[in-house]
Amino acid sequence: MPPRRRLPLAPQVLLLYALACASLRAEEPRYVAIFDNGERHTGDKVDDWFFADRMPRLNGRNLLDEGNPARVIYDTQSNLAILGAHLELANGDLLPGRVERYEPASASHVATLVVRSPLAGANQTVRVRADAVRRIASSTDKTAFAPGFLESSDGQRVRAERVRFAAQGVRGLTASGTVDFGFVELREAHFDVAEPFLAWRNAIWLDTFEPEQFYFHLHTASGGRLTVPRELARGDIEKASGGASPRFAVQPLWSLDPLYLFHDDIASASQLRLREVPLSLFEPVAVEQRSAISHWPWQANASLQGEPLRVEELVSDLGLATHSYTALTFALPEQAEELFTVVGIDPACRRGGCARASIHRESASGLEIWRSDFLRGGQSPVRVGPLDVRGAKQLTFVTDFAHDGRPTGADPFDIRDFVHWLMPFVRLQPDAWNKFPPREPDQLMPELAGWQIAA
């Protein structure tokens, strides 16, 4: 996502926000699960998590109930670290770590980047498909994505026509010749990758899968984000010292090696079906923002203050945080059928927050397919969907001013107009992924031969 900066607020406002978020966390048990119907369930332990052949349970409650699955499970005691050096994958995943070297394709595996990562196994490195890497970055303070952009740690910037990997770095082709950056001196590099929805499909789908099977989107305490089909998770492979926390392995389809996690490493886990595509992991194709008094650039998958996205009792690690006025336009996959989301005011804004929200086909001036009444802080979340989006190429999410005619007690202008769109996703046609060319697991990744992939 492009870097977004906000204007400073008064210290008193920031203090109130921090106290409100801290009080929300203090009142909650260890784990909270939010189910598809909005029901909230709590407990201190998740059993049989990340087993392909068992149903995960929180305090005895099945988290993958076919009729009403948990949409997100989050650890209220997790403290998220600031993400440092990392790889951004074409599907939106983030892998903490630094690239050590490039290995070209061979008879046994595709071209890979060898990455030293805290999520790697005993050898401390993991091999990542080179064709799945969208960006290499040294921190979260990133430049707006532009294929061919290269920047060194000493500030040298280049916009190359083409970029390719070399054994110890990258080489860019420019109008004046070539430029080389070693991995150790690389601050940021952007790569042209597959069309976004094709990249997303490649990250979750094997042709042995069924569209109603589940996948996990994991947010780790180290700042990583991992998308993993449930069939590529192995739970309880060993115990931590003292046996307190099971260790498990997951293998994203962009990795040739498993990644290893303890339960304590998981800050949150979203659960979606393979034909459900969360829009907040994609770059919008158009953004329009204007303000009356204060300017808060939109955020993806976090609140405007970097906290988990909340609307009263609901929480999500996927979604959009916006401030009036904001219009975000997202492209849709051709096979999109229905849209779902939950909308409301950030609870830290309390009763003063007030805004309106709407969804439009194509642009903000296009056909309006949903509009809210006044959204107020303290009100129940508004569930949206299913909305018929068949035939639409784009959808625009609008957060609008609600100054005129606002309810008594609501702040004027755009003060505290913080709107959260929780887990906006489109559901695809059941046969959507089958419309792509078929791929066999061993063609995709020879190393998957050791995994049992269930239909």
Side-chain angles (χ1 to χ4, degrees):
M1 291 292 175
R4 296 182 285 279
R5 305 186 184 279
R6 53 179 173 266
L7 298 182
L9 287 186
Q12 298 92 331
V13 176
L14 295 177
L15 177 61
L16 287 172
Y17 191 100
L19 290 174
C21 293
S23 65
L24 285 169
R25 287 195 297 266
E27 295 171 358
E28 294 175 327
R30 176 65 187 270
Y31 290 104
V32 177
I34 306 298
F35 285 79
D36 197 37
N37 65 355
E39 183 182 356
R40 194 171 181 271
H41 192 72
T42 63
D44 292 322
K45 182 183 178 184
V46 181
D47 294 305
D48 294 335
W49 216 359
F50 307 111
F51 283 87
D53 58 347
R54 305 181 200 174
M55 289 298 174
R57 292 168 286 110
L58 175 60
N59 197 21
R61 176 72 180 272
N62 182 4
L63 297 175
L64 284 176
D65 185 325
E66 287 293 332
N68 183 33
R71 284 302 185 177
V72 63
I73 304 101
Y74 69 97
D75 183 350
T76 63
Q77 298 178 17
S78 180
N79 294 311
L80 289 173
I82 297 176
L83 184 63
H86 64 279
L87 271 67
E88 179 181 316
L89 287 305
N91 70 323
D93 282 2
L94 302 173
L95 175 66
R98 293 185 180 276
V99 179
E100 288 196 341
R101 64 184 183 276
Y102 168 73
E103 294 185 347
S106 70
S108 63
H109 63 75
V110 298
T112 61
L113 295 177
V114 178
V115 181
R116 183 167 294 273
S117 172
L119 304 182
N123 64 2
Q124 300 182 330
T125 60
V126 59
R127 293 169 297 166
V128 176
R129 293 179 63 104
D131 61 1
V133 176
R134 184 173 186 262
R135 186 193 319 239
I136 297 173
S138 61
S139 73
T140 54
D141 185 17
K142 296 183 285 192
T143 304
F145 182 75
F149 176 80
L150 301 172
E151 183 178 7
S152 65
S153 56
D154 62 4
Q156 181 183 359
R157 291 187 170 195
V158 174
R159 182 68 184 273
E161 297 175 8
R162 285 184 294 173
V163 179
R164 68 176 181 85
F165 290 109
Q168 297 298 323
V170 296
R171 170 166 292 181
L173 175 64
T174 70
S176 57
T178 60
V179 60
D180 294 293
F181 292 105
F183 289 126
V184 295
E185 61 179 320
L186 194 62
R187 183 181 184 276
E188 200 167 342
H190 303 181
F191 306 95
D192 198 6
V193 292
E195 186 274 332
F197 293 111
L198 178 60
W200 176 257
R201 183 262 197 186
N202 290 345
I204 64 168
W205 183 259
L206 291 176
D207 294 303
T208 55
F209 292 170
E210 297 293 335
E212 296 304 318
Q213 290 176 228
F214 286 93
Y215 67 90
F216 303 118
H217 179 79
L218 308 178
H219 192 182
T220 72
S222 59
R225 288 185 176 271
L226 310 174
T227 302
V228 184
R230 182 169 177 247
E231 284 65 31
L232 296 183
R234 292 175 174 173
D236 201 16
I237 62 172
E238 67 178 58
K239 298 283 186 179
S241 57
S245 178
R247 192 180 190 218
F248 58 92
V250 296
Q251 185 156 1
L253 289 178
W254 42 258
S255 174
L256 273 66
D257 301 301
L259 304 176
Y260 296 91
L261 300 150
F262 293 107
H263 277 205
D264 292 348
D265 294 326
I266 301 299
S268 60
S270 293
Q271 302 183 143
L272 297 98
R273 291 182 173 88
L274 290 173
R275 67 184 182 109
E276 295 174 341
V277 183
L279 296 178
S280 63
L281 291 179
F282 297 87
E283 295 274 2
V285 297
V287 176
E288 180 186 356
Q289 289 196 276
R290 58 181 184 268
S291 56
I293 294 180
S294 58
H295 178 60
W296 289 79
W298 70 280
Q299 298 287 340
N301 307 316
S303 76
L304 297 179
Q305 284 287 352
E307 295 283 338
L309 289 158
R310 295 176 180 267
V311 178
E312 294 310 303
E313 73 278 9
L314 301 187
V315 66
S316 179
D317 65 340
L318 294 172
L320 305 168
T322 55
H323 178 250
S324 57
Y325 172 89
T326 300
L328 301 176
T329 302
F330 292 88
L332 293 185
E334 184 179 341
Q335 300 85 4
E337 271 191 335
E338 298 172 321
L339 171 74
F340 299 81
T341 189
V342 174
V343 187
I345 296 291
D346 183 336
C349 296
R350 303 190 184 275
R351 292 289 293 173
C354 183
R356 288 185 183 273
S358 58
I359 301 173
H360 305 251
R361 279 178 172 258
E362 312 309 335
S363 68
S365 59
L367 176 65
E368 182 179 275
I369 58 175
W370 176 82
R371 170 173 285 273
S372 75
D373 199 349
F374 287 109
L375 298 174
R376 293 289 309 277
Q379 289 182 343
S380 298
V382 179
R383 298 177 66 84
V384 180
L387 297 179
D388 187 349
V389 297
R390 288 174 295 183
K393 295 182 178 179
Q394 298 178 341
L395 285 180
T396 299
F397 298 81
V398 174
T399 300
D400 207 350
F401 303 114
H403 176 75
D404 295 335
R406 67 188 183 279
T408 302
D411 292 339
F413 306 110
D414 59 359
I415 299 173
R416 291 196 287 186
D417 289 0
F418 295 177
V419 172
H420 289 172
W421 305 79
L422 304 185
M423 198 181 283
F425 69 86
V426 290
R427 183 172 292 161
L428 307 184
Q429 300 166 8
D431 62 344
W433 296 136
N434 296 330
K435 295 182 179 180
F436 288 86
R439 300 177 306 167
E440 296 298 327
D442 59 346
Q443 294 173 338
L444 170 79
M445 190 182 303
E447 285 74 4
L448 282 180
W451 291 80
Q452 291 184 353
I453 303 173

